[in-house]
Amino acid sequence: MTDNQKNAFTSGGEGDRFFERNKSAYQKMASSSELGPASRLYQPYLKAGHRILEIGSSSGTNLSLLTRGIGIDAYGIDPSETAVIKGHIEFPELHLSVGTADQLDFPDGYFDFILFGFCLYLVDRTLLTKTIAEADRCLKDGGHIAITDFRPDVPTTRPYKHFEGLISYKYPYEQIFLAFPHFQLVESRTFSHSEDAYHADPQERVSASVIRKSLQEGYQQL
């Protein structure tokens, strides 16, 4: 079926179930008030007055912690209506809405920073290039893309165990952006899906990467 992943997470209800399964982790994150390893990498790139979008923001816990005290206009989208409703209650300062990465309802060049929060591995392959293009369209020149996702040694597919028929696609997704000269890798770090340390099993490996968009710096003048 075309766009099988998107349908499962929206009309199929997997977005809401995903939120319910991970609710305790979000609560633990909120109670500790500590940034995870990816957010610690990203936060220095956020400045007062910036606009940030987190794609896969759930109820906004990570987004709230990441932008706390900086003076940022923070937006988040997630396929779970349940998560977004809860986020409106818990984090009224955030602009949260239901949506998916392949269709961003924002103007061109609207954001200074766009974060893919552990979601690209679940994007339909038929929608992946559109997802990349939408992020590029909505990011202003000089802005940054951040990606938190699995980081295997080689591109890997695995059954998504929570919904029959779905596939997870593990890949170093920053490489797609870096195929274009106007994106440059700023920094990246690798850790574990379960702890803040490198993992020997490539299927448990996660990376956080920051990419800068510059429409001029990637080209040589002849």
Side-chain angles (χ1 to χ4, degrees), residues 10-84:
T10 53
S11 58
E14 177 55 20
D16 288 338
R17 289 189 291 272
F18 185 98
F19 170 66
E20 293 296 336
R21 285 195 304 271
N22 292 280
K23 188 183 294 185
S24 60
Y26 301 136
Q27 291 171 342
K28 182 179 179 181
M29 184 190 305
S31 62
S32 71
S33 297
E34 293 184 3
L35 294 176
S39 292
R40 290 198 299 271
L41 182 72
Y42 302 150
Q43 195 174 61
Y45 295 92
L46 305 179
K47 309 298 179 185
H50 276 182
R51 285 197 195 101
I52 175 178
L53 171 66
E54 181 177 15
I55 300 171
S57 58
S58 189
S59 59
T61 302
N62 178 67
L63 184 59
S64 178
L65 289 173
L66 181 61
T67 59
R68 180 181 51 191
I70 303 177
I72 284 177
D73 201 11
Y75 294 74
I77 66 166
D78 195 272
S80 170
E81 184 176 4
T82 301
V84 170

Side-chain angles (χ1 to χ4, degrees), residues 127-162:
L127 296 175
L128 184 58
T129 52
K130 186 176 181 182
T131 294
I132 301 302
E134 278 289 88
D136 187 8
R137 179 185 67 78
C138 291
L139 184 69
K140 66 176 54 175
D141 189 19
H144 293 86
I145 294 277
I147 301 172
T148 307
D149 220 300
F150 290 104
R151 183 60 180 267
D153 290 338
V154 296
T156 305
T157 60
R158 302 186 82 178
Y160 178 71
K161 66 180 181 180
H162 303 291

